[in-house]
Amino acid sequence: MPKILIVGGGYAGFYTAWKLEKHLRKGEAEVTVVDPLPYMTYQPFLPEVAAGSIEARHSVVALRRHLSKTKVVAGKVTGISHADKTATITPSVGDPYQVRYDQIVVTAGAVSRTFPIPGIADNAIGLKTIEEAVAIRDRLTANFDKAALVPAGPERDRLLTVVVVGGGFAGIEVFAELRSYASALLKNYPELRFEDTHFHLVEAMGRIMPEVSLKTSEWVLKNLAERGAAVHLDTQVTGAIDGNIELSTGETIPSDLIIWTAGVMANPTVVRGGDLPVEERGRIRARADLRVGTAEAPLEGAWAAGDVAAVPDLSGGGVGGYCVPNAQHAVRQAKLLAKNLVAVLRGEEPKEYVHKNLGAVAGLGIGIGVFQSGKIAIKGLPAWFAHRGYHGLAMPSWERKFRVLWGWWNNFWLGRDIVNLSTVQNPRYVFEEFAARPRPAQPAVTPPAEPREQGKIADQPEKVDAEKAAAAGR
């Protein structure tokens, strides 16, 4: 039976395996997915998770629950030798080992791309994982608790200052959602005022959200300004030591929450650990039919899709001739990849990937959004409904759709949950504080030893006196 190895269980990896289960006949192939995490994260929901609008577990899809015919391995693929069709798997527990495959599908996704700016690696947090989104929400909520206890001044300002670096879709969405969340929190903190909260977004280019028209992006800037948020265009971060954001304009912004969304790069662990061809931007070179290789020479048995792959954009709308790294392309590429892989196994020809961008939709906080498709632009509440409608339907599996929609419905009537669970990172702190521990053993005290003869004499005082008298008589 042919062995299909899928590297990565994110968008493209999950959808590839999901659709392979549908298209493969029983016994036609054996499919294995390798990923260090047991779930797929629906990344468009991360800003809403950070703002408390979606429960974290509802925005992820359990691999083992929804991939019933696929073997799921918790680990990383740290090496690929396609010359002999073997891959090195480093499991979460145990020693690395090698497996053989007949077809490999590389869908390892992307990670945050940073620059060697002093302090960023130590103080900032990204927005690529569900854990990061939860940490952002808990940090901001915890900072409100702390700020309510200190008087107005530099320390309170630092706690209530949020800095987002990067003005693309991810940066603008999390920036606007957190602004909305902070405004909603204020009614529960009578000690704090709206003027105590400070939101800054730093963008190196002269505009935000290049995915939409300039007119739409200007509307977003105006909306953010009306909500008390500051956007610094044509500005770069030059330092972030001890949480002090230094800008190229000379301004310094002390902050306790720095969120980095300034770009992504293909997963370097997989790209650098194999012998598959890589293009100049560090992505695996793929053909329009999603096989690895060039237009003239496909690499037999190797496939790639999603953010880790440089897939030609035949619609003509891509950047540099390639599909941009977003969920829209990753999902559609994965669906076609599954069909093409099955076709190749059956001796048929694969089809080329062609998809014209349907547009862009973004949520900017409760009741506010933007939608852009060609020259059509919708703003405000209608766009917000379009945002939630699109992503609610795009969430894979009816089980997850229902959980997300049910959460939104509850929040409509009950409001967002503002409980801070940051202490979950150290769940044993109460137990450790009050747990009874055994007393340390006391060292044994040994009396000093006396010379044997001297001890005997001390035990016979009468004999000592008689010997002294006899000596005097002599």
Side-chain angles (χ1 to χ4, degrees):
M1 195 187 315
K3 297 182 183 297
I4 301 173
L5 178 65
I6 301 177
V7 183
Y11 276 126
F14 171 78
Y15 270 95
T16 299
W18 206 26
K19 296 305 177 181
L20 282 174
E21 289 191 350
K22 177 182 178 181
H23 299 310
L24 287 170
R25 304 186 186 108
K26 185 176 181 180
E28 190 171 11
E30 177 185 301
V31 183
T32 300
V33 173
V34 181
D35 195 286
L37 299 174
Y39 50 78
M40 181 214 85
T41 301
Y42 190 73
Q43 293 187 7
F45 280 157
L46 292 182
E48 289 199 61
V49 171
S53 295
I54 296 179
E55 170 61 33
R57 284 186 174 85
H58 296 171
S59 62
V60 299
V61 180
L63 299 181
R64 294 182 184 275
R65 175 168 183 170
H66 295 281
L67 298 178
S68 57
K69 302 175 185 177
T70 302
K71 181 181 179 181
V72 178
V73 176
K76 296 181 179 180
V77 172
T78 52
I80 297 173
S81 177
H82 193 66
D84 53 9
K85 291 192 174 181
T86 61
T88 301
I89 297 178
T90 302
S92 302
V93 178
D95 297 326
Y97 61 92
Q98 289 189 333
V99 296
R100 293 192 60 82
Y101 61 81
D102 298 288
Q103 304 282 338
I104 190 168
V105 180
V106 183
T107 54
V111 298
S112 295
R113 182 191 61 177
T114 58
F115 306 102
I117 300 172
I120 287 294
D122 300 320
N123 297 292
I125 185 170
L127 190 67
K128 291 292 293 178
T129 67
I130 193 66
E131 293 83 2
E132 289 173 325
V134 172
I136 289 170
R137 176 179 178 269
D138 285 341
R139 171 68 68 86
L140 183 58
T141 310
N143 283 358
F144 265 75
D145 291 331
K146 297 174 183 177
L149 300 176
V150 300
E155 180 60 18
R156 175 185 283 188
D157 289 340
R158 185 184 67 83
L159 289 169
L160 298 181
T161 296
V162 176
V163 177
V164 176
V165 184
F169 250 62
I172 290 294
E173 283 195 288
V174 72
F175 184 65
E177 289 284 358
L178 289 178
R179 174 67 273 183
S180 174
Y181 180 51
S183 299
L185 281 175
L186 287 170
K187 65 177 180 290
N188 299 290
Y189 293 86
E191 305 90 346
L192 304 177
R193 302 175 303 162
F194 181 86
E195 294 75 17
D196 294 325
T197 60
H198 312 280
F199 281 74
H200 298 269
L201 184 135
V202 183
E203 169 55 46
M205 296 176 60
R207 59 164 295 182
I208 61 171
M209 303 175 75
E211 300 88 345
V212 302
S213 67
L214 180 61
K215 185 177 180 181
T216 301
S217 69
E218 290 174 346
W219 180 88
V220 174
L221 286 174
K222 181 180 178 182
N223 179 268
L224 291 171
E226 292 172 350
R227 295 158 62 185
V231 177
H232 306 261
L233 298 178
D234 293 314
T235 305
Q236 297 178 339
V237 174
T238 58
I241 298 175
D242 296 329
N244 294 309
I245 309 298
E246 299 175 5
L247 305 181
S248 57
T249 58
E251 184 180 359
T252 299
I253 306 172
S255 173
D256 195 57
L257 181 53
I258 308 166
I259 304 169
W260 182 274
T261 64
V264 297
M265 64 179 180
N267 190 322
T269 301
V270 174
V271 173
R272 298 171 187 169
D275 57 358
L276 298 177
V278 178
E279 48 92 63
E280 57 273 7
R281 294 191 62 184
R283 297 173 297 179
I284 293 176
R285 190 178 296 279
R287 294 158 43 97
D289 60 10
L290 304 175
R291 286 184 289 183
V292 174
T294 63
E296 298 77 21
L299 195 61
E300 189 274 327
W303 306 77
D307 294 356
V308 78
V311 179
D313 190 344
L314 301 184
S315 71
V319 177
Y322 295 101
C323 296
V324 297
N326 62 21
Q328 194 174 134
H329 281 304
V331 171
R332 286 168 173 78
Q333 288 172 8
K335 292 179 179 179
L336 179 63
L337 193 158
K339 292 180 180 179
N340 281 352
L341 203 162
V342 173
V344 169
L345 291 178
R346 296 173 182 172
E348 302 170 4
E349 287 296 317
K351 296 181 180 180
E352 293 185 332
Y353 174 75
V354 182
H355 171 68
K356 186 175 182 180
N357 196 337
L358 298 176
V361 61
L364 304 176
I366 301 297
I368 308 172
V370 291
F371 170 78
Q372 181 89 44
S373 180
K375 295 183 179 180
I376 300 174
I378 304 174
K379 312 175 188 71
L381 185 62
W384 180 74
F385 278 118
H387 163 75
R388 287 207 160 178
Y390 173 79
H391 287 299
L393 293 175
M395 185 71 179
S397 85
W398 283 104
E399 176 252 339
R400 285 295 154 180
K401 286 181 173 66
F402 182 80
R403 290 181 189 274
V404 171
L405 294 173
W406 185 247
W408 281 338
W409 177 254
N410 287 336
N411 286 350
F412 177 78
W413 296 103
L414 305 175
R416 284 182 278 202
D417 196 331
I418 65 169
V419 175
N420 164 33
L421 292 178
S422 57
T423 51
V424 75
Q425 304 301 323
N426 182 23
R428 297 181 63 250
Y429 77 99
V430 174
F431 182 83
E432 289 179 335
E433 181 179 356
F434 297 103
R437 292 177 170 81
R439 294 182 178 180
Q442 297 295 327
V445 178
T446 304
E450 297 181 353
R452 182 176 299 176
E453 293 302 324
Q454 187 177 359
K456 289 181 179 179
I457 293 175
D459 291 339
Q460 301 175 13
E462 297 83 358
K463 184 177 181 181
V464 172
D465 293 338
E467 290 178 352
K468 287 182 178 180
R474 289 195 298 270

